[in-house]
Coordinates of all heavy atoms in Angstrom, one line a residue:
Chain N
V4 N 34.8 -9.0 -7.0 CA 34.3 -7.7 -7.3 C 33.3 -7.6 -8.4 O 32.3 -7.0 -8.2 CB 35.5 -6.7 -7.6 CG1 35.1 -5.3 -7.8 CG2 36.6 -6.7 -6.5
E8 N 29.5 -6.7 -8.2 CA 28.9 -5.5 -8.9 C 27.7 -6.0 -9.8 O 26.8 -5.3 -9.8 CB 30.0 -5.0 -9.8 CG 29.5 -3.7 -10.5 CD 30.6 -3.2 -11.6 OE1 31.7 -3.7 -11.7 OE2 30.2 -2.3 -12.3
P58 N 19.3 3.1 -2.6 CA 18.3 3.8 -1.9 C 17.5 4.8 -2.7 O 16.3 5.0 -2.7 CB 19.0 4.7 -0.8 CG 20.3 3.9 -0.7 CD 20.6 3.3 -1.9
R62 N 13.5 4.8 -3.6 CA 12.7 6.0 -3.4 C 11.9 6.3 -4.6 O 10.8 6.7 -4.6 CB 13.6 7.2 -3.0 CG 12.9 8.4 -2.7 CD 13.8 9.4 -2.3 NE 13.2 10.7 -2.2 CZ 13.7 11.9 -1.9 NH1 14.9 11.9 -1.5 NH2 13.0 12.9 -1.8
P76 N 8.3 6.3 9.6 CA 9.1 5.6 10.7 C 9.8 4.3 10.2 O 10.9 4.0 10.4 CB 8.3 5.3 11.9 CG 7.1 6.3 11.7 CD 7.0 6.4 10.2
V82 N 16.6 2.8 6.7 CA 17.9 3.5 6.4 C 18.9 3.3 7.5 O 20.0 3.1 7.3 CB 17.4 5.0 6.3 CG1 18.8 5.9 6.1 CG2 16.6 5.1 5.0
A84 N 19.0 0.8 9.6 CA 19.5 -0.6 9.4 C 20.6 -0.7 8.3 O 21.7 -1.3 8.6 CB 18.4 -1.6 9.1
I101 N 19.9 -14.5 12.5 CA 19.1 -15.0 13.7 C 17.6 -14.6 13.5 O 16.8 -15.5 13.6 CB 19.6 -14.6 15.0 CG1 21.0 -15.2 15.2 CG2 18.7 -15.0 16.2 CD1 21.8 -14.8 16.3
T108 N 11.1 -19.9 10.6 CA 10.6 -21.0 11.4 C 9.2 -20.7 11.8 O 8.3 -21.6 11.8 CB 11.5 -21.2 12.7 OG1 12.9 -21.4 12.2 CG2 11.2 -22.5 13.3
N123 N -13.7 -22.9 6.3 CA -14.3 -21.9 5.3 C -15.6 -21.3 5.9 O -16.0 -21.6 7.1 CB -14.6 -22.5 4.0 CG -15.5 -23.7 4.1 OD1 -16.4 -23.6 4.9 ND2 -15.3 -24.7 3.4
N160 N -29.4 -0.3 -10.9 CA -29.8 -1.4 -11.7 C -28.5 -2.1 -12.4 O -28.5 -2.2 -13.7 CB -30.7 -0.8 -12.9 CG -31.5 -2.0 -13.5 OD1 -31.6 -3.1 -13.0 ND2 -32.0 -1.8 -14.8
I174 N -25.7 -6.5 22.7 CA -26.1 -7.2 23.9 C -27.4 -7.8 23.8 O -28.4 -7.5 23.2 CB -26.4 -6.0 24.9 CG1 -25.2 -5.0 25.1 CG2 -26.8 -6.5 26.3 CD1 -23.9 -5.6 25.6
R176 N -30.2 -10.5 25.6 CA -30.7 -10.9 26.9 C -31.7 -12.0 26.7 O -32.6 -12.0 26.0 CB -31.4 -9.7 27.6 CG -31.6 -9.9 29.2 CD -32.0 -8.7 29.8 NE -33.4 -8.4 29.6 CZ -33.8 -7.1 29.2 NH1 -33.0 -6.2 29.1 NH2 -35.1 -6.9 29.0
T177 N -31.3 -13.1 27.4 CA -32.2 -14.3 27.4 C -32.7 -14.4 28.9 O -32.5 -13.6 29.7 CB -31.6 -15.7 27.1 OG1 -30.3 -15.8 27.9 CG2 -31.0 -15.6 25.7
H220 N -26.5 -21.5 14.8 CA -26.8 -22.8 15.4 C -26.2 -22.9 16.8 O -26.9 -23.5 17.7 CB -26.1 -23.8 14.4 CG -26.6 -25.3 14.7 ND1 -25.9 -26.1 15.5 CD2 -27.7 -25.9 14.3 CE1 -26.5 -27.3 15.7 NE2 -27.5 -27.2 14.7
H261 N -17.8 -15.3 13.0 CA -19.0 -15.9 13.7 C -19.9 -14.8 14.1 O -19.5 -13.8 14.7 CB -18.7 -16.8 14.8 CG -19.9 -17.1 15.7 ND1 -20.7 -18.2 15.3 CD2 -20.4 -16.7 16.8 CE1 -21.7 -18.2 16.1 NE2 -21.5 -17.4 17.1
L280 N -21.6 -7.1 -1.3 CA -21.4 -8.4 -2.1 C -22.2 -8.5 -3.2 O -23.4 -7.9 -3.3 CB -21.7 -9.7 -1.2 CG -20.8 -9.8 0.2 CD1 -21.7 -9.2 1.4 CD2 -20.6 -11.2 0.4
E291 N -18.6 -6.0 -16.2 CA -19.5 -4.9 -16.6 C -19.9 -4.2 -15.1 O -20.0 -3.0 -15.1 CB -20.8 -5.4 -17.2 CG -21.7 -4.3 -17.6 CD -23.0 -4.7 -18.2 OE1 -23.0 -5.9 -18.6 OE2 -24.0 -4.0 -18.2
R295 N -19.0 -0.3 -13.9 CA -20.1 0.6 -13.5 C -19.9 1.1 -12.1 O -20.2 2.2 -11.8 CB -21.4 0.0 -13.7 CG -21.7 -0.2 -15.2 CD -23.1 -0.4 -15.5 NE -24.1 0.5 -15.0 CZ -25.3 0.3 -14.9 NH1 -25.9 -0.9 -15.2 NH2 -26.2 1.2 -14.4
A311 N -12.3 -0.7 -9.1 CA -13.1 -1.6 -8.3 C -12.6 -3.0 -8.6 O -12.3 -3.3 -9.8 CB -14.5 -1.5 -8.5
L314 N -13.0 -9.7 -4.1 CA -12.3 -11.0 -3.4 C -13.4 -12.1 -3.6 O -14.6 -11.8 -3.7 CB -12.1 -10.7 -2.0 CG -11.1 -9.6 -1.7 CD1 -11.2 -9.4 0.0 CD2 -9.8 -10.1 -2.0
E325 N -6.9 -16.6 13.4 CA -7.6 -15.3 13.6 C -8.8 -15.6 14.5 O -9.3 -14.8 15.3 CB -8.2 -14.9 12.1 CG -7.1 -14.2 11.3 CD -7.5 -14.1 9.9 OE1 -8.0 -15.1 9.4 OE2 -7.3 -13.0 9.3

Side-chain angles (χ1 to χ4, degrees):
Chain N
V4 177
E8 187 186 350
R62 186 172 170 184
V82 170
I101 291 169
T108 310
N123 62 33
N160 194 24
I174 303 297
R176 197 167 74 229
T177 55
H220 193 271
H261 170 76
L280 300 98
E291 188 187 338
R295 291 193 55 197
L314 290 173
E325 287 167 314

